[in-house]
Amino acid sequence: AQAQAERSSNPIPTSVLMGAMLGSLARSVYAVGLLGNMLWTTALMNIVHLAPMSKAWKEGVCLVLTQLAWRIALLFAPWMSIQGDDDYAEQWGLVLSLMDEYDSEDVREGKPRRPLIVLANHTSFFDTVLGVAKLPVQVLWRCRTYMADHLFKMPVLSTLCKSVGHFPVHFASEEDGVFKVDTKKMEPVEKRVDNHLQGGGWLCFFPEGQVNKSPENILPFRFGGMKKALEYDARIVQMVFRGNEQVWPRKCQVGGFPGKVRYSMRPIAPDGARAFVQIARAEGAKEEVDMPDHAILAKRAQELMQEQYEALAEDKQGALSKLHGKLQKDNKKD
């Protein structure tokens, strides 16, 4: 009775109620649009896989269809303010130009082509939606990623995962917070990953290995992806998002809430993962002397991702330019 009296004496402001109602309405509209687009997309994917094309072409077409569907869903959700860094397109143009140059050079010299790996921070399922929507088509076409195996069993999403050729991650336990993988089940998966990379494919994944409950602090990077980057001497870029968890909260099945999102892309190892580690070792940091290469790569890449994330804050408009200048200077040390 006392609690009811307190609530009645302190009613919720009308503006708060209206905001909550509009937020729920916006989310519902986005959910309907997203689901509708995914339904026609997955239907087309089934048709595409009947076409007389190579497996790689079928998967590429399905990825482009996914990008189109998610772009349309975002187009009709203007209450989500999504803004890329001013030089986002320019950065990708430079990276793609370099990759074309490197690929041609490797082919001339009879060397295997080194892949590109795209790393991203992970705070929400919206990271995947926005990442796919904003990646250049040339990058998306060649990229595949790792996804938890339970996603391959979900209605609609399972068709998408299988059609685009993503790789399932089989965990040894379903316990929350336990990320040890089933090594036996992962053996054939890793063979597929190797075949993809050796055939000129690229990878994109979330190196934190889980959805971050505290987005302001980038989690330590898991070593598996770092070892793969070093094995293939991959060139590495980082795509970082800020605000995704506001428009699509971590525990929500679907997002679409009003909010502001910013994103950027920065190359951190344009000359390859091994050169990146070599430069780091040359700096002679005491705490890194006895660390293996993959641990140094994980530590340094995490630190750069943290800087990139912080640079996306509204009160640091010039920070990304400064970070870009720093990265260019570091890469010239080689």
Side-chain angles (χ1 to χ4, degrees):
Q2 183 179 354
Q4 289 180 345
E6 289 178 356
R7 284 196 294 270
S8 62
S9 62
N10 296 288
I12 300 175
T14 303
S15 59
V16 175
L17 288 173
M18 287 297 294
M21 290 174 61
L22 290 173
S24 297
L25 178 62
R27 180 193 182 198
S28 299
V29 172
Y30 176 73
V32 170
L34 182 65
L35 178 60
N37 279 303
M38 289 186 68
L39 287 174
W40 67 255
T41 300
T42 50
L44 282 177
M45 286 178 179
N46 290 323
I47 297 174
V48 167
H49 276 272
L50 296 175
M53 296 186 291
S54 69
K55 181 175 180 291
W57 262 86
K58 291 176 182 178
E59 291 173 354
V61 170
C62 289
L63 278 165
V64 173
L65 285 173
T66 303
Q67 184 181 67
L68 176 62
W70 289 353
R71 282 182 174 180
I72 292 173
L74 292 175
L75 180 65
F76 287 95
W79 50 86
M80 291 190 286
S81 175
I82 299 172
Q83 179 185 357
D85 187 46
D86 291 341
D87 65 350
Y88 178 78
E90 179 185 352
Q91 288 295 311
W92 269 119
L94 291 171
V95 169
L96 289 171
S97 178
L98 282 172
M99 291 304 296
D100 287 341
E101 182 181 330
Y102 292 144
D103 279 355
S104 299
E105 183 179 319
D106 289 339
V107 170
R108 283 197 306 270
E109 297 179 3
K111 299 177 181 178
R113 289 182 293 174
R114 287 191 280 171
L116 179 73
I117 287 183
V118 183
L119 306 179
N121 61 320
H122 198 17
T123 64
S124 160
F125 185 77
F126 195 62
D127 303 328
T128 301
V129 174
L130 186 57
V132 169
K134 297 301 180 181
L135 279 176
V137 174
Q138 308 98 300
V139 179
L140 184 70
W141 186 275
R142 295 174 68 172
C143 269
R144 303 294 183 270
T145 192
Y146 292 97
M147 300 184 73
D149 62 335
H150 74 269
L151 297 176
F152 285 76
K153 303 171 185 177
M154 296 177 65
V156 182
L157 190 58
S158 61
T159 301
L160 189 154
C161 295
K162 295 172 184 176
S163 297
V164 302
H166 288 331
F167 308 112
V169 178
H170 301 283
F171 292 103
S173 171
E174 295 183 2
E175 184 181 347
D176 188 34
V178 177
F179 302 102
K180 184 177 176 59
V181 299
D182 186 322
T183 53
K184 188 173 182 179
K185 288 185 177 180
M186 286 303 297
E187 284 181 6
V189 175
E190 290 301 337
K191 287 182 180 179
R192 284 181 53 204
V193 175
D194 289 336
N195 290 336
H196 170 68
L197 294 174
Q198 291 164 7
W202 297 346
L203 277 180
C204 55
F205 56 86
F206 302 116
E208 295 168 285
Q210 60 181 299
V211 178
N212 191 343
K213 299 177 183 179
S214 303
E216 297 293 325
N217 299 301
I218 303 297
L219 295 172
F221 287 3
R222 296 175 66 80
F223 289 157
M226 303 301 103
K227 291 178 180 178
K228 185 72 71 176
L230 286 165
E231 178 185 351
Y232 285 91
D233 196 16
R235 308 179 198 281
I236 305 173
V237 303
Q238 293 194 147
M239 193 166 177
V240 176
F241 311 101
R242 188 182 185 101
N244 281 357
E245 73 284 355
Q246 297 175 15
V247 300
W248 193 321
R250 183 173 60 89
K251 293 187 176 181
C252 287
Q253 291 185 331
V254 68
F257 292 104
K260 183 173 183 178
V261 172
R262 295 196 68 204
Y263 62 93
S264 67
M265 187 282 284
R266 287 290 178 270
I268 66 166
D271 295 321
R274 295 172 190 169
F276 179 91
V277 173
Q278 184 179 0
I279 293 171
R281 286 199 182 279
E283 294 177 3
K286 291 183 179 180
E287 67 274 16
E288 294 177 352
V289 172
D290 296 323
M291 291 173 63
D293 286 354
H294 63 266
I296 292 178
L297 177 58
K299 173 179 173 290
R300 292 293 186 103
Q302 178 203 6
E303 291 170 352
L304 287 171
M305 184 174 284
Q306 184 69 51
E307 289 184 40
Q308 192 174 337
Y309 179 85
E310 292 172 359
L312 285 170
E314 289 185 37
D315 59 345
K316 296 184 179 180
Q317 293 291 339
L320 278 169
S321 297
K322 293 178 182 177
L323 176 60
H324 179 45
K326 175 187 174 184
L327 290 171
Q328 284 187 318
K329 183 178 178 181
D330 288 346
N331 288 321
K332 286 180 181 177
K333 292 179 182 178
D334 191 33

